[in-house]
Amino acid sequence: GKFYQLLKTAVQEEMDVFANCCHERYEQLKNEEGGMELIAYAPPLKQNISRQDHPEVCAFLVDEKIRMETGVLAQFLSHTSPDLPVPYAEEIFVTQLHIRARSLSLVFSDMVNKVITSHAVHLPSSQLEDKYVIQCKFKSQTQAFSNQDRRRSSIRCTTRTSPVEVLHAPVKRSNRMQQKLLEYTSDRNPEWPITGHILDPV
């Protein structure tokens, strides 16, 4: 118990550091070429959006007829088969979410590969796989300051070459999503469809 709390605190501190790095990098990207176009293309979502079936997300669609039918079925089975696992009526939503996650993962992986290969010393001769290492060249800027007033006096640009290892993780499998649904037990009173709570399929 005590060790777990210490570990939890340490992990949270590391996550806070990573979050700050992401925010700083986001601010840098806004000032880079194409940064504002990227932001305009993907405007930030509202803070109160926390479900995959939200109208502004639409990771999966819920037809009103399906909503009514599954709601009636859920009530019926809760009385006749109380020991039945939670995701008895969620398969259609899990399937939709899994398909959307796979499509998103393919596009995202392709964009990552384009960014990485744009810095490559030599372009790969074959198709990139899910895991690869490639030599890349990067430019970095070093700011020089005067010793008297600490004002920036010059910027020195340097170029370095280093290997970059890329690993595209697979999306969450459908059966794993089904298992994930079991974590949202009835005593937590999750909003239906329960699949809407799965926020990390990719």
Side-chain angles (χ1 to χ4, degrees):
K2 184 178 180 180
F3 177 76
Y4 174 76
Q5 291 299 327
L6 292 174
L7 179 61
K8 185 177 179 181
T9 301
V11 171
Q12 184 60 57
E13 291 176 353
E14 291 297 326
M15 292 299 294
D16 291 340
V17 173
F18 293 150
N20 290 332
C21 291
C22 290
H23 290 309
E24 292 178 2
R25 182 57 182 147
Y26 174 76
E27 293 299 324
Q28 294 174 358
L29 286 173
K30 289 197 301 186
N31 298 322
E32 293 183 5
E33 182 179 359
M36 297 309 297
E37 288 82 356
L38 179 63
I39 295 173
Y41 177 76
L45 297 174
K46 298 177 181 178
Q47 294 297 325
N48 60 348
I49 296 179
S50 59
R51 291 183 54 84
Q52 294 283 20
D53 56 340
H54 189 280
E56 294 190 30
V57 179
C58 293
F60 66 89
L61 303 178
V62 184
D63 182 85
E64 285 305 318
K65 292 183 179 180
I66 296 178
R67 182 185 295 274
M68 293 177 58
E69 179 180 349
T70 346
V72 172
L73 179 62
Q75 292 182 359
F76 174 75
L77 293 177
S78 64
H79 292 90
T80 59
S81 306
D83 297 331
L84 197 65
V86 174
Y88 44 76
E90 299 276 337
E91 288 86 353
I92 185 172
F93 307 122
V94 169
T95 300
Q96 289 185 61
L97 184 60
H98 183 252
I99 293 174
R100 184 63 59 86
R102 290 177 59 187
S103 301
L104 176 62
S105 179
L106 289 173
V107 176
F108 178 74
S109 299
D110 184 57
M111 294 301 297
V112 169
N113 290 338
K114 287 181 178 179
V115 172
I116 296 298
T117 54
S118 67
H119 296 276
V121 178
H122 301 289
L123 293 178
S125 56
S126 59
Q127 183 177 0
L128 297 174
E129 300 180 353
D130 291 337
K131 181 178 180 180
Y132 62 91
V133 179
I134 189 171
Q135 289 287 335
C136 293
K137 184 180 296 185
F138 299 95
K139 293 182 179 180
S140 60
Q141 294 182 347
T142 303
Q143 299 179 355
F145 297 88
S146 61
N147 294 329
Q148 296 179 351
D149 54 10
R150 298 297 297 171
R151 292 182 180 177
R152 188 174 62 187
S153 58
S154 63
I155 298 179
R156 184 181 64 181
C157 295
T158 58
T159 302
R160 60 186 177 86
T161 301
S162 61
V164 174
E165 182 176 359
V166 180
L167 173 61
H168 295 295
V171 301
K172 196 183 292 313
R173 298 188 302 271
S174 296
N175 60 348
R176 179 66 186 97
M177 292 187 190
Q178 293 280 357
Q179 297 172 0
K180 187 78 173 178
L181 296 179
L182 296 174
E183 299 178 9
Y184 301 100
T185 55
S186 57
D187 58 344
R188 294 176 58 181
N189 193 25
E191 182 181 351
W192 186 90
I194 306 177
T195 306
H197 294 278
I198 303 179
L199 303 179
D200 58 344
V202 179

